[in-house]
Amino acid sequence: MRSLTFKLIVAFLLTSVLGVGLAAILAWQVTTREFDRFIMGQLRNEFVANAAAYYHDRGSWVGAGDYFRRLDASPPPDPRTPPRPPQFVLADEKGTAVTPVQPYRVGDPIPRDLLDRGAPVEVAGRRVGTVIDVAQAPALNAREIQYLASTNRALALAALGAALVALLAGILLARSLTRPLRDLTQAIQAMAAGELRQQVPVRSADELGTLTEAFNRLSADLAHANELRRQMTADIAHDLRTPLTVINAYIDGLRDGVFKPTPERFEAMHNEMQHLQRLVDDLRTLSLADAGELPMLKTPTSCGALLDRLVAAYGPRAEARAISLAVAMEPGLPDILADPERMNQVLGNLVGNALRYTPSGGRITLSARRREHAVALAVADTGAGIASDVLPHVFDRFYRGDPARSQQEDESGLGLAIAKSIVEAHGGRIEVQSELGQGTTFTVLMPFAMSTGS
């Protein structure tokens, strides 16, 4: 009783039965009324013909009352048909009754509105009288009753057939409607059991098909996120275990007297501790960004000031490696709405990566230009580039798919993921374009400080 399929079948059946039943009742009423009107018309035409013949033979209506009284009293052709009482009153050309039929007597005047609606009696092209209905439809004879009964049976059989067809169509339609829901229910139950990757066949292009497509995307995203989570957990464990192993080895050696406490060993331990600290700080930054709680102080910020700060910070490193660090800034750029420290963190990460993967004699270009309703801050290098199959994953956490850009010892593997989170927290977006052997360009699109863009 609680099944959606059962409820849909009952709903379709009730709707169809009510509709067919209402149509059958209306058809029966219309058929009965029109048949009574047809019988009444036949009797009226017969009465008009008899009246016209009487007047043609006698030239007046004298004795017409007795004539039609005898005519009405004659037995019907079918003995099973009850005698029909007088149905019509006959009025002469002056509108006076000449046949006594209740509620009129011979000589009573007939109201003008009834005369206007009556059937004319014409002889030799002249109207000599009027026939007026004074009773409802007469009793039907056996053949007429049989005809109506057969019509009613046909209507009943049609209604029953329509109900059966509606029941069959309801069953098929209900099953077709609930089948995607059953598939989704089974897939959800499988996901609840831990099997996150579920794909339900899309069987239609309607709302259920849209729901199924949305579920399939959700399932794929959840499975992908779960895989990333597992991979990130394994990567975090690996990145934590390596420096901890080094530090633990030094401590054990110093405690057992195997190692002497030299400045070099303390420096190595300090470096490993700094690596751990960076990893922990990056993880905390990501967790705050994911929760929408990353502290930021957005103010109108000059793009030129950001680029000048980058040149001052990374210029010596670039010069030491014989890498050209150039700035190309479009004049008249508006300020962007950003946290200067966070944006320096983003752009500094991009410049640091460019320095790592650009060979000596290469070039790194920092640029700022207007793009539609935003400012595009770009860091372009002439390094080895990124493979096309790796490019979609460069912002994934701990992703190690590109040997040319594998994680180095002083990296946490979270820099680009953090940069993406910070940019999106500002309402901007970050893009990457690269070609093997040609270099890589990271572009940060940031909104104007003013909505007008001026």
Side-chain angles (χ1 to χ4, degrees), residues 247-258:
I247 294 172
N248 185 63
Y250 276 118
I251 291 177
D252 288 343
L254 292 172
R255 184 186 60 186
D256 297 339
V258 177

Side-chain angles (χ1 to χ4, degrees), residues 37-310:
R37 186 178 300 174
F38 172 75
I39 295 299
M40 198 70 174
Q42 281 190 327
L43 295 176
R44 186 188 307 109
N45 293 336
E46 182 180 351
F47 191 93
V48 169
N50 291 334
Y54 181 88
Y55 192 90
H56 181 270
D57 293 341
R58 292 167 177 76
S60 69
W61 295 118
V62 176
D66 295 334
Y67 171 77
F68 283 102
R69 189 181 303 109
R70 291 193 304 271
L71 192 63
D72 291 335
S74 59
D78 190 346
R80 295 174 296 176
T81 303
R84 290 170 173 168
Q87 305 290 321
F88 311 101
V89 62
L90 176 62
D92 59 17
E93 59 268 24
K94 297 179 180 180
T96 302
V98 296
T99 57
V101 179
Q102 291 295 332
Y104 301 104
R105 295 174 297 179
V106 176
D108 288 347
I110 306 298
R112 174 54 57 183
D113 59 333
L114 293 180
L115 290 173
D116 293 339
R117 295 197 302 267
V121 179
E122 296 181 349
V123 175
R126 183 172 66 91
R127 182 168 182 167
V128 297
T130 304
V131 176
I132 302 164
D133 300 356
V134 294
Q136 299 297 326
L140 304 179
N141 59 35
R143 293 185 60 186
E144 294 165 347
I145 293 175
Q146 183 180 4
Y147 172 78
L148 281 181
S150 62
T151 302
N152 292 336
R153 281 196 303 271
L155 289 174
L157 291 175
L160 179 60
L164 294 177
V165 172
L167 177 60
L168 179 60
I171 292 174
L172 297 177
L173 190 57
R175 288 184 176 178
S176 66
L177 288 176
T178 56
R179 185 176 181 183
L181 297 179
R182 291 195 300 270
D183 294 340
L184 286 173
T185 301
Q186 293 175 358
I188 292 173
Q189 291 172 345
M191 292 180 66
E195 300 176 10
L196 297 182
R197 189 174 296 279
Q198 300 292 324
Q199 292 296 303
V200 178
V202 179
R203 304 183 186 277
S204 61
D206 54 12
E207 289 82 355
L208 287 175
T210 303
L211 174 63
T212 303
E213 291 176 350
F215 172 83
N216 289 337
R217 289 194 299 269
L218 174 63
S219 175
D221 292 343
L222 284 176
H224 180 63
N226 188 55
E227 292 173 1
L228 291 179
R229 179 187 61 81
R230 292 178 179 176
Q231 183 62 42
M232 186 177 71
T233 302
D235 291 337
I236 291 175
H238 175 271
D239 288 347
L240 289 175
R241 183 173 61 249
T242 301
L244 286 175
T245 301
V246 174
I247 294 172
N248 185 63
Y250 276 118
I251 291 177
D252 288 343
L254 292 172
R255 184 186 60 186
D256 297 339
V258 177
F259 296 148
K260 293 181 180 182
T262 62
E264 292 78 8
R265 289 192 173 98
F266 284 118
E267 179 67 21
M269 293 172 63
H270 178 70
N271 290 337
E272 296 299 328
M273 287 298 298
Q274 283 187 322
H275 181 68
L276 283 175
Q277 185 63 46
R278 282 194 299 271
L279 178 60
V280 172
D281 290 343
D282 287 346
L283 288 173
R284 182 175 182 275
T285 301
L286 274 179
S287 65
L288 291 174
D290 290 342
E293 298 176 357
L294 189 65
M296 287 189 298
L297 181 60
K298 296 181 182 180
T299 59
T301 303
S302 169
C303 298
L306 287 175
L307 298 186
D308 290 342
R309 185 174 176 180
L310 289 172

Side-chain angles (χ1 to χ4, degrees), residues 378-437:
V379 177
D381 63 54
T382 57
I386 306 173
S388 59
D389 59 330
V390 176
L391 205 59
H393 305 286
V394 295
F395 296 107
D396 294 347
R397 303 169 187 186
F398 294 104
Y399 186 73
R400 293 185 172 88
D402 186 8
R405 290 182 175 254
S406 60
Q407 184 178 334
Q408 298 183 4
E409 292 182 358
D410 59 343
E411 296 181 72
S412 67
L414 299 172
L416 290 178
I418 292 175
K420 183 174 184 290
S421 297
I422 293 176
V423 171
E424 291 178 348
H426 280 83
R429 70 177 188 273
I430 186 169
E431 303 172 348
V432 59
Q433 293 178 330
S434 185
E435 187 175 347
L436 286 177

Side-chain angles (χ1 to χ4, degrees), residues 436-451:
L436 286 177
Q438 300 297 321
T440 303
T441 300
F442 284 91
T443 304
V444 176
L445 297 172
M446 295 294 296
F448 296 138
M450 300 295 293
S451 59

